[in-house]
């Protein structure tokens, strides 16, 4: 039920994991506690559903952007990929922060690892099709370095440097991260 997942996300952002309860989530969603338990065995399962939905949404965006940039030169493609990573983290930074804290509790670490493997594979595939533009020899390692760097910058900005998420600061961060990745690749 989307209403339960939406309610869980709102409560996590507003009140945090420790203050969230199945009773509060059911009330926020406008459903009975019995209905909640028909779909989810407890709070952790609801948080896991929020994490899964969040990751699926981000991965859909990432796949779409990789398809968009497939034929673009490296400089333009990298800038677009960096921008998307930072924008995705800016959508709901408070929710992102809470979810990052809760991933270990929910057993969703393997989903994050699958997400990372797919992002690395997509980036490696892009690099392989543009290898004539690059100076790096090991494209698998290059994909790892680039994806990890981009994700770390975006993630750290959300979790620890929220001032980097204003429009002007985000543009500067995109410029600098693009320069970093292009400098490495070329």
């Amino acid at each position: 039920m989307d209403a339960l997942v939406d309610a869980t996300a709102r409560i996590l952002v507003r009140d945090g994991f420790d203050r969230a309860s199945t009773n509060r989530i059911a009330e926020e969603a406008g459903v009975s506690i019995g209905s909640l338990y028909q779909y989810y065995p407890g709070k952790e399962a609801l948080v896991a559903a929020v994490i899964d939905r969040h990751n699926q949404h981000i991965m859909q965006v990432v796949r779409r952007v990789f398809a968009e940039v497939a034929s673009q030169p490296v400089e333009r493609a990298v800038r677009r990929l960096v921008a998307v990573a930072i924008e995705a983290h800016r959508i709901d930074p408070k929710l992102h922060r809470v979810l990052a804290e809760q991933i270990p509790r929910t057993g969703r670490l393997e989903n994050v690892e699958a997400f990372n493997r797919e992002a690395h594979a997509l980036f490696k595939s892009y690099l392989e099709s543009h290898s004539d533009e690059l100076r790096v020899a090991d494209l698998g390692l290059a994909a790892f370095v680039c994806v990890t760097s981009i994700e770390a910058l975006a993630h750290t900005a959300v979790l620890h440097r929220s001032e980097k998420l204003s429009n002007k600061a985000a543009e500067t961060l995109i410029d600098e991260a693009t320069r970093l990745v292009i400098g490495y690749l070329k």
Side-chain angles (χ1 to χ4, degrees), residues 35-48:
S35 293
L36 180 148
Y37 283 116
Q38 280 184 306
Y39 296 98
Y40 299 97
K43 174 172 76 169
E44 290 77 9
L46 282 157
V47 174

Side-chain angles (χ1 to χ4, degrees), residues 68-138:
E68 286 173 14
V69 302
S71 63
Q72 292 181 2
V74 173
E75 290 85 356
R76 191 174 333 148
V78 166
R79 179 169 179 74
R80 178 76 174 112
L81 292 166
V82 168
V84 164
I86 291 170
E87 291 305 319
H89 285 77
R90 287 179 72 199
I91 290 171
D92 194 341
K94 289 180 183 176
L95 178 62
H96 192 87
R97 190 175 300 115
V98 171
L99 296 181
E101 293 167 358
Q102 298 313 316
I103 286 172
R105 270 191 190 169
T106 62
R108 285 306 194 253
L109 224 44
E110 71 276 0
N111 294 22
V112 172
E113 290 166 4
F115 173 93
N116 288 337
R117 280 191 303 276
E118 184 174 355
H120 290 135
L122 289 167
F123 206 94
K124 182 181 178 196
S125 178
Y126 173 82
L127 294 177
E128 287 169 346
S129 66
H130 294 271
S131 61
D132 59 322
E133 299 177 56
L134 308 174
R135 70 170 175 82
V136 292
D138 185 338

Side-chain angles (χ1 to χ4, degrees), residues 55-69:
N55 286 342
Q56 288 168 3
H57 173 71
I58 289 175
M59 207 58 225
Q60 286 173 343
V61 171
V62 168
R63 285 184 202 110
R64 180 180 46 80
V65 172
F66 269 106
E68 286 173 14
V69 302

